[in-house]
Amino acid sequence: MVPHLITALTGPINELEQRILDSTPAIERWFRLEWMEHTPPFYSSVDIRNAGFKLAPVDTNLFPGGWAHLTPDMLPLAVQSAMAAIEKICPEAKNLLVVPENTRDTFYLANLAQLKRIFYMAGLNVRFGSIDPELHEPASVSLPDGDSVLIEPVVRTRRRLGLKNFDPCTILLNNDLSSGVPGILEDIHEQYLLPPLHAGWSVRRKSNHFQSYEEIAKRFGKLLGIDPWLITPMFNKCGAVNFAEGTGMDCLTTNVDALLAKIRKKYKEYGIGEKPFVVVKADNGTSGLAISTVRDAKELEALTGKGSGQMSAVKGGQAPVRDVIVQEGVLTNERIGDAVAEPVVYTIDRYVVGGFYRVHAERGTDENLNAPGADYVPLAFAESTRLPQPGAKPGASAPNRFYMYGVIGRLAMLAASYELEATDPEAEVYD
């Protein structure tokens, strides 16, 4: 399924698709050389927006929780990629401990069941160990499809983390650590912890990620001979903002005005008639919370004081939003039926393994779709993302569209690799 683009401005995106297709050998070689120097995140998901005149990532998650939304057709490629990832890290591994979020939401638990399926077929015994201090006994939760998930309390010894009678070589975090890094996960020296603790949202910042992405997009744009803006969301950031008290808003107003001016200039350059907007959101991940669309700096007043609830909503246990990223708003002009849609690309190791369209019938083209009421339409990238069809007309071919999404997803994945290297607390620093 290829959602239709409801915009007359398909020219630039078709030109971008054609340039990417024509440059496929150079692109694949470029990625191959990058992965010789940098380690990809173990897994990731990338939210992408297709405006018809630009295509850009707007968020990259290093603890993806939507595996159940992917089609079964993607399993062979996911299993193969999981094998490649494990072989690089711990070739002799036989046990994998997955540390999940502290929730009994059945949609999330179905995601765990899919992860278990992938890594079981990759040759690992997989069990789920909760770091929830309230869990003292194993708990089995039934899923709507008849499957079930067994969550067990973790057992910590001096150097290792495991379960009763289960000693894993590798620990896979599917918990984004928004509430901070619990002591039980620290000082583990004899096991592989993936992703690393500094990938969690208690440390990670979106502004660092998009700074890395911006640098990579400039080099990639030079390779293809394109304006990197066509694949990059511009951004600014502000710290020390308090929406409840209305402090720090001068910085926010200044940056919103400045970014809107830059977007207007780009729109004028490309003859785009849309009204520019920015997205103000927490600089650390909040699972679709604390996100606001702003078309004029005057609208910021509605986010302060009693009206600050929208920007104060955070994931359980997190401190209120203080650090803010102001990101160029990228329209999504894709539709499934009458509902707005955006592609989400899933990766394991350096490979795109699948994805889905996030669809929301009650949201507009300039709004966040990661919200209650969203539906998910799976995409099978297995045959399409690595096999573009060069002879097909731009905009008409599913493999070509998905290949283009896969390229953007891999650029974001590479940016995450750069980002994690730069923020690694154990990395050696040279004067």
Side-chain angles (χ1 to χ4, degrees), residues 87-135:
E87 284 171 9
K88 288 195 302 186
I89 296 158
C90 186
E92 70 277 13
K94 62 178 181 179
N95 294 333
L96 177 70
L97 177 67
V98 179
V99 177
E101 297 277 353
N102 299 334
T103 178
R104 294 294 180 268
D105 178 78
T106 56
F107 291 103
Y108 174 75
L109 295 178
N111 152 77
L112 294 183
Q114 183 79 302
L115 272 178
K116 181 175 181 177
R117 206 169 289 121
I118 291 168
F119 287 101
Y120 177 82
M121 288 191 283
L124 294 168
N125 300 312
V126 183
R127 287 166 71 175
F128 302 109
S130 174
I131 56 175
D132 184 353
E134 301 299 318
L135 183 70

Side-chain angles (χ1 to χ4, degrees), residues 35 38-45 62 64 67 77-89 119 172 194 346-353 409-410 412-414 416-417:
W35 295 131
H38 304 281
T39 302
F42 188 81
Y43 56 6
S44 69
S45 66
L62 300 183
W67 292 96
L77 183 54
V79 171
Q80 188 178 23
S81 302
M83 285 179 175
I86 292 294
E87 284 171 9
K88 288 195 302 186
I89 296 158
F119 287 101
L172 178 62
L194 304 166
Y346 268 59
T347 72
I348 296 177
D349 195 61
R350 60 192 178 100
Y351 305 104
V352 173
V353 299
R410 285 185 286 163
M413 179 175 35
L414 182 59
S417 174

Side-chain angles (χ1 to χ4, degrees), residues 20 27-28 31 48 213 220 224 345 352 385 402-412:
I20 286 175
I27 290 171
E28 296 306 324
F31 275 120
I48 297 172
Y213 183 88
F220 187 77
L224 266 62
V345 171
V352 173
T385 191
F402 299 159
Y403 178 74
M404 186 166 62
Y405 292 161
V407 168
I408 299 300
R410 285 185 286 163
L411 289 174

Side-chain angles (χ1 to χ4, degrees), residues 30 40 45 65 98 107 124 132 137 147 154 176 178 190 206 249 266 297 340 366 407 417 419 430:
W30 186 83
S45 66
V98 179
F107 291 103
L124 294 168
D132 184 353
E137 298 290 337
D147 203 350
V154 295
D176 64 16
S178 293
E190 298 175 356
K206 295 180 181 182
M249 299 302 289
K266 277 294 182 183
V340 176
D366 61 350
V407 168
S417 174
E419 170 199 357
Y430 299 96

Side-chain angles (χ1 to χ4, degrees), residues 45-61:
S45 66
V46 183
D47 295 353
I48 297 172
R49 306 275 282 203
N50 187 348
F53 52 85
K54 75 179 293 179
L55 180 74
V58 294
D59 202 14
T60 302
N61 184 4

Side-chain angles (χ1 to χ4, degrees), residues 185-350:
L185 293 179
E186 295 180 321
D187 300 319
I188 295 175
H189 298 293
E190 298 175 356
Q191 293 167 304
Y192 296 94
L193 189 64
L194 304 166
L197 293 178
H198 68 282
W201 283 123
S202 56
V203 176
R204 190 176 174 230
R205 294 294 179 267
K206 295 180 181 182
S207 53
N208 289 335
H209 174 75
F210 283 102
Q211 182 64 51
S212 295
Y213 183 88
E214 192 174 80
E215 294 167 6
I216 289 167
K218 286 178 182 176
R219 290 196 289 111
F220 187 77
K222 188 174 182 180
L223 174 74
L224 266 62
I226 62 168
D227 180 353
W229 176 76
L230 294 173
I231 57 171
T232 308
M234 298 186 289
F235 75 96
N236 292 323
K237 63 176 182 177
C238 283
V241 176
N242 188 319
F243 289 97
E245 297 179 5
T247 57
M249 299 302 289
D250 287 346
C251 171
L252 200 53
T253 299
T254 299
N255 279 283
V256 166
D257 277 337
L259 190 53
L260 285 171
K262 289 172 71 175
I263 300 169
R264 285 189 201 99
K265 186 176 179 181
K266 277 294 182 183
Y267 279 18
K268 184 176 181 181
E269 178 183 344
Y270 283 92
I272 297 165
E274 303 285 353
K275 185 173 182 180
F277 68 100
V278 298
V279 178
V280 178
K281 52 187 174 182
D283 204 7
N284 55 342
T286 52
S287 300
L289 303 173
I291 299 176
S292 295
T293 299
V294 176
R295 293 183 176 277
D296 189 298
K298 294 177 182 177
E299 297 173 12
L300 294 172
E301 296 177 8
L303 303 180
T304 61
K306 291 182 179 180
S308 68
Q310 186 174 350
M311 289 305 298
S312 299
V314 293
K315 198 172 175 181
Q318 271 189 281
V321 175
R322 292 290 182 268
D323 296 327
V324 172
I325 181 172
V326 181
Q327 190 178 64
E328 175 188 358
V330 182
L331 293 167
T332 177
N333 271 320
E334 294 188 279
R335 293 286 189 283
I336 291 180
D338 293 328
V340 176
E342 65 184 8
V344 183
V345 171
Y346 268 59
T347 72
I348 296 177
D349 195 61
R350 60 192 178 100

Side-chain angles (χ1 to χ4, degrees), residues 365-430:
T365 58
D366 61 350
E367 293 183 289
N368 168 42
L369 304 188
N370 187 11
D375 291 319
Y376 302 90
V377 178
L379 300 170
F381 277 75
E383 296 180 1
S384 59
T385 191
R386 307 293 293 181
L387 297 172
Q389 299 176 343
K393 183 180 178 182
S397 164
N400 289 351
R401 178 85 69 86
F402 299 159
Y403 178 74
M404 186 166 62
Y405 292 161
V407 168
I408 299 300
R410 285 185 286 163
L411 289 174
M413 179 175 35
L414 182 59
S417 174
Y418 277 54
E419 170 199 357
L420 292 179
E421 290 170 7
T423 57
D424 186 352
E426 297 183 5
E428 294 185 28
V429 179
Y430 299 96

